[in-house]
Amino acid sequence: AALNPWDVMLCVSGTAIACENALVLAIICYSPALRTPMFVLVGSLATADLLAGLGLILNFVFQYVIRSETVSLLTVGFLVASFAASVSSLLAITVDRYLSLYNALTYYSERTVLCIHTMLAGAWGVSLCLGLLPVLGWNCLHDRTSCSVVRPLTKSNVTLLSASFFLIFLIMLHLYIEICKIVCRHAHQIALQQHFLTASHYVTTKKGVSTLAIILGTFGASWLPFAIYCVVGDPDYPSVYTYATLLPATYNSMINPIIYAYRNQEIQRSMWVLFCGCFQAKVSFRSRSPSDV
């Protein structure tokens, strides 16, 4: 079959995603210092995005090399599970950031570690179940009328996935609003303790709120078009509509390492050690807490 340019772009996107996140995992595994709950969550996100990138590559290879309904189901299920784990890991990171601010005094306790591991186990368990649904029979291979805009997934399947995404997005939106309130309240209290409101108070607060808006805005702009189209789209529509909404969704996995990993100064320091073999002491790095945004 002739190469579809959209499939090529998805494969290129998957390659970039896999390379970026493989580097993040290598840095976290290489550095013993990166064993805090925050980096466990970042590692979970990188693992999910790495698998999603590999899934896009495998989907391209199997689509043009090994054309099989069974293989198609496996690759689609693999992609569903990987992207679901990625979105779930983003939710877990948001919950972690909220807890680090709301329960700052007890955050570094064993209870927090247990909570994070439980969240990740639940997130990956649910993601695996969602990925297995089409493989176990929830597909439209034998009933074309039930197909969705993402073949071979059924309309009810993609509706479930979209509803799950909307729920996660609303939870993240609520938590980030609460985080903004806590950040603004803390900054205001610090300024009052200094007996006056300095310009740096407004700058710091504005920067924190802007960063949170960029994080949530990037996530929403990447996934919302595809999630909405999965609900309102019809399988008879041109496939270009599916590709045009799916491709930006993959970009979220490409942007995640930049937002959650490469901006972190501990990971930057580990990159210096990993690639340069030494660390220049004159370069100052400040360790970030999970509440840093």
Side-chain angles (χ1 to χ4, degrees), residues 265-281:
Q265 295 187 6
E266 291 291 341
I267 289 184
Q268 291 175 9
R269 177 168 59 184
S270 298
M271 288 179 65
W272 275 96
V273 176
L274 182 63
F275 291 113
C276 301
C278 61
F279 176 70
Q280 296 179 354

Side-chain angles (χ1 to χ4, degrees), residues 54 106-107 112 133 148 181 207 215-216 221 253:
L54 294 177
T106 60
Y107 175 78
T112 300
L133 289 178
S148 67
K181 291 180 180 178
K207 181 180 178 181
I215 292 173
L216 190 63
S253 295

